[in-house]
Amino acid sequence: MSIWASDNRTGHVREALTLLLSQGVIDDFRIRPEDDFPFRVQIPAGIVPMTEHQAAHFALGAAVAHFGELARDAEGL
């Protein structure tokens, strides 16, 4: 069983950014496939253009930063 609805890396990154958006971690994002930096993530500091690789690492780091404390607190459940 897979946690991903999509079957490619671009889709996985899109799903990860959608999760972060739904949790209020990022303000918005856009994907412009024709650009050199197709992933544009909006955070309070502004819009950050990223490659797919950068966006994947950003999503992982943002999720760990946002949910890390919750994961540590859930240890005793």
Side-chain angles (χ1 to χ4, degrees):
M1 182 174 168
S2 174
I3 63 169
W4 303 109
S6 61
D7 63 354
N8 59 57
R9 184 169 176 157
T10 299
H12 296 170
V13 174
R14 180 184 296 114
E15 289 175 30
L17 292 174
T18 300
L19 167 80
L20 295 176
L21 179 62
S22 71
Q23 294 297 313
V25 177
I26 62 174
D27 295 331
D28 201 4
F29 74 92
R30 297 279 184 262
I31 302 172
R32 298 180 177 170
E34 67 280 356
D35 289 350
D36 289 338
F37 295 91
F39 291 85
R40 303 201 178 257
V41 178
Q42 184 175 343
I43 57 176
I47 296 173
V48 183
M50 299 180 213
T51 64
E52 180 179 299
H53 184 75
Q54 291 167 332
H57 284 276
F58 169 83
L60 175 61
V64 169
H66 186 73
F67 297 109
E69 190 63 33
L70 176 65
R72 283 187 284 284
D73 288 345
E75 200 172 289
L77 294 178

